Amino acid sequence: MAMRYCALLVICLTSDFAAGNLISQNNTFNSTFRLTPAQIAATNLTNATVQNVEIALRFERSNNAGYLIQDDPFYHVPASYNSQDPPPPGTILKVEEHTNLTLYTIPNSISMSRFLYVSETFNGSSVPASAYVLVKISASAQPIEDYANNATNLTACKDGNASTGPLYPTIGLCHGTSGQTQACAPSGLRSLWDDFHEPFALALAGYAVVAPDYVGLGVPNITSPYFILPSQANDLYHSVAAAQSHWPGMLSKEFVIAGQSQGGAVAWAAAQRQHQRPVEGYLGTMAASPFTDVIADIVADNAAENNARVAGIAQGLDTVLPDFSISDWLTPLGVARWNLVQEIKGCGTTGGQLSAAEGGTLQILKDGWNETWAADWYRNNTMNGGKAFAGPMLVIQGTQDPNANEPVTSKSVNETCVLYPDSQLEYIRWENITHVPVLYAAQHLWLDWIKDRFDGVAATEGCSVETKSPPRGVNGVQFAGFNDNTWFIEYDVYGI
């Protein structure tokens, strides 16, 4: 059943305020999900885990924008789409020009569109996917030659036609892990998953943000090739191309790639793809907290929450390797738990609860999973670092990151710089900073770096490594732990 609970909540509470009755904001979740006895028995869940999973899924569903993503008709591919003879990658399939922003928690002055387009799998076949575009009411400044070289846009600007001008400098944004099922598409989440970490910050700075959901998130009946990084790099390029083709008078042909966490890994993979398959207009890549050697990061962390990442990667491998099955890496219990994630369409929080295995007392992963032939294939085909890439590239990394491990990232940077010393790689480590907060610690720097790319400022030649420390020491500096926010985004239901 389609759920429009968010809009209903706003209307009711605003009505109360108009009558002069201030009431507290809702502190419960707009979902009544319950696991069935059969689901609980099939996955050997304790009462505590049942409670945690139910709360996690209610939380996730409450973050949906108006509809549950799996019920939102926007994600249905047009009937004219022929999967046996699909259009080429980069083709637009459907456009929602003006997304209903009353269902989202997006900053004022920003508009949003969603679209479906054709992407490309790891093995080269066409596949439908979803994405969104954010633009501010005004673009950041563009060099005058950008307008002079675009006759359509120049005429539109002279005529005052805001629908086709001015050009917005384009960012291809790769999001961090939201989950591995259809229900986890950032374009259908109220704060677009990464909110002020990246998409809001970039849009407010005057950029056009083009952000793919990644194949398997949003559009139904497609398995997510989770963390098969070249696949997500394809999503990035083809979503940008599709958006540029549909809004040629609004989006610049020049673009910068950016991303953090899984998105940082995708951004680095996209820079490697650009070296092999150059795309016109590419200006550079910013990769924050990037996974480089993913299995090394997981083994170094050795935390129970990595069970969900490994299961997700196994799901991804199942989409590209005909001789691999998820059961090659997961125990029967692990397979049953992961099947339940798919059945109830859980995302990152729910998957983490189901994969934690009651604090490690139950085994989710098979011993030696990371020493199998499939693990070797995965390393060889998804590794970031030690490979040629198209620069310039800025890599930022927190030294206390327990997820994308700093020693692993530094090793990958060093290997790349030894092999490709002229590759224009700028690496900056931030002391005492963890996974997501590195985006806040370095925000001024990466925004300035991106602006330089569009302004035509020459990037530093060769490789450079720098470490930044808090000038006042760590005392008095906000450190909020791994996932790092001391706040969350909620509706202002009173309009005050």
Side-chain angles (χ1 to χ4, degrees):
M1 177 182 295
M3 298 180 68
R4 297 179 176 85
Y5 45 78
C6 294
L8 180 62
L9 177 65
V10 173
I11 291 169
C12 292
L13 292 182
T14 302
S15 176
D16 284 338
F17 173 67
N21 299 320
L22 286 176
I23 59 176
S24 64
Q25 294 220 40
N26 181 32
N27 63 357
T28 60
F29 300 134
N30 296 304
S31 169
T32 56
F33 172 81
R34 292 285 189 274
L35 291 165
T36 67
Q39 290 170 330
I40 294 169
T43 50
N44 194 22
L45 300 179
T46 64
N47 290 337
T49 301
V50 168
Q51 180 181 13
N52 290 343
V53 169
E54 290 176 346
I55 291 173
L57 195 68
R58 291 173 205 159
F59 165 74
E60 290 174 348
R61 291 185 171 189
S62 295
N63 286 319
N64 281 231
Y67 290 92
L68 293 181
I69 290 172
Q70 55 268 36
D71 293 336
D72 189 338
F74 164 75
Y75 296 100
H76 296 169
V77 176
S80 59
Y81 180 81
N82 184 349
S83 60
Q84 301 304 310
D85 185 23
T91 300
I92 285 276
L93 298 176
K94 178 195 288 188
V95 177
E96 180 184 75
E97 289 285 355
H98 301 291
T99 300
N100 180 4
L101 294 185
T102 65
L103 303 176
Y104 288 79
T105 48
I106 288 176
N108 287 328
S109 82
I110 291 177
S111 68
M112 175 179 169
S113 301
R114 298 190 295 181
F115 64 96
L116 302 188
Y117 69 101
V118 181
S119 190
E120 177 187 0
T121 68
F122 180 90
N123 294 323
S125 58
S126 294
V127 62
S130 55
Y132 69 83
V133 177
L134 292 183
V135 293
K136 190 181 176 184
I137 195 169
S138 59
S140 75
Q142 284 286 285
I144 190 64
E145 58 266 27
D146 285 358
Y147 297 106
N149 291 334
N150 188 320
T152 301
N153 187 75
L154 184 61
T155 301
C157 288
K158 288 179 178 177
D159 293 342
N161 186 343
S163 66
T164 56
L167 282 175
Y168 288 77
T170 303
I171 304 293
L173 181 62
C174 320
H175 68 80
T177 294
S178 55
Q180 297 89 8
T181 72
Q182 178 195 356
C184 313
S187 67
L189 301 178
R190 287 187 293 158
S191 62
L192 303 179
W193 183 245
D194 284 328
D195 53 75
F196 286 99
H197 307 335
E198 292 174 289
F200 296 173
L202 287 162
L204 289 170
Y207 297 102
V209 179
V210 181
D213 289 325
Y214 305 149
V215 165
L217 311 184
V219 175
N221 304 318
I222 301 173
T223 300
S224 166
Y226 177 67
F227 252 94
I228 307 299
L229 302 174
S231 294
Q232 284 89 58
N234 288 341
D235 298 339
L236 184 282
Y237 279 100
H238 295 309
S239 65
V240 169
Q244 289 170 331
S245 72
H246 186 76
W247 293 284
M250 186 174 74
L251 274 61
S252 69
K253 286 298 292 183
E254 295 75 23
F255 64 98
V256 167
I257 293 169
Q260 186 268 341
S261 190
Q262 180 190 358
V266 174
W268 193 320
Q272 293 176 166
R273 181 190 191 275
Q274 177 69 16
H275 176 79
Q276 298 173 331
R277 301 169 59 183
V279 174
E280 184 180 359
Y282 171 81
L283 298 178
T285 294
M286 188 283 288
S289 315
F291 287 86
T292 54
D293 182 342
V294 180
I295 292 179
D297 276 313
I298 292 170
V299 172
D301 187 8
N302 194 32
E305 54 263 31
N306 273 319
N307 290 346
R309 192 180 306 282
V310 175
I313 294 171
Q315 169 184 299
L317 287 173
D318 214 350
T319 69
V320 297
L321 297 178
D323 297 328
F324 178 84
S325 169
I326 193 171
S327 61
D328 292 349
W329 282 9
L330 273 61
T331 64
L333 175 65
V335 172
R337 294 276 180 99
W338 198 247
N339 287 342
L340 181 57
V341 173
Q342 305 301 312
E343 180 182 339
I344 63 178
K345 289 184 168 52
C347 294
T349 307
T350 300
Q353 292 300 321
L354 280 169
S355 300
E358 282 78 55
T361 59
L362 299 174
Q363 189 169 2
I364 298 295
L365 307 180
K366 286 185 174 180
D367 293 334
W369 67 269
N370 58 313
E371 298 171 352
T372 60
W373 69 271
D376 290 340
W377 184 96
Y378 182 76
R379 290 187 185 95
N380 292 334
N381 287 276
T382 68
M383 182 78 73
N384 287 326
K387 300 177 182 178
F389 70 93
M393 181 163 66
L394 170 66
V395 177
I396 59 175
Q397 173 73 48
T399 62
Q400 301 304 308
D401 191 333
N403 197 355
N405 190 269
E406 182 269 327
V408 175
T409 303
S410 295
K411 181 175 181 289
S412 298
V413 167
N414 291 337
E415 289 174 348
T416 304
C417 289
V418 167
L419 292 171
Y420 307 98
D422 300 324
S423 56
Q424 290 187 304
L425 194 163
E426 185 178 355
Y427 180 43
I428 303 180
R429 295 178 298 184
W430 296 75
E431 287 194 336
N432 301 301
I433 298 294
T434 57
H435 192 59
V436 174
V438 74
L439 286 169
Y440 299 125
Q443 186 180 75
H444 63 291
L445 188 149
W446 57 264
L447 284 175
D448 286 349
W449 188 91
I450 289 172
K451 185 176 185 298
D452 283 348
R453 304 289 74 77
F454 286 103
D455 287 347
V457 177
T460 304
E461 295 295 328
C463 288
S464 65
V465 178
E466 182 181 0
T467 300
K468 292 186 178 293
S469 303
R472 302 176 65 192
V474 298
N475 292 332
V477 177
Q478 177 66 270
F479 295 109
F482 169 65
N483 269 333
D484 328 298
N485 285 339
T486 53
W487 46 268
F488 60 90
I489 298 174
E490 189 171 355
Y491 284 116
D492 172 9
V493 299
Y494 307 122
I496 56 176

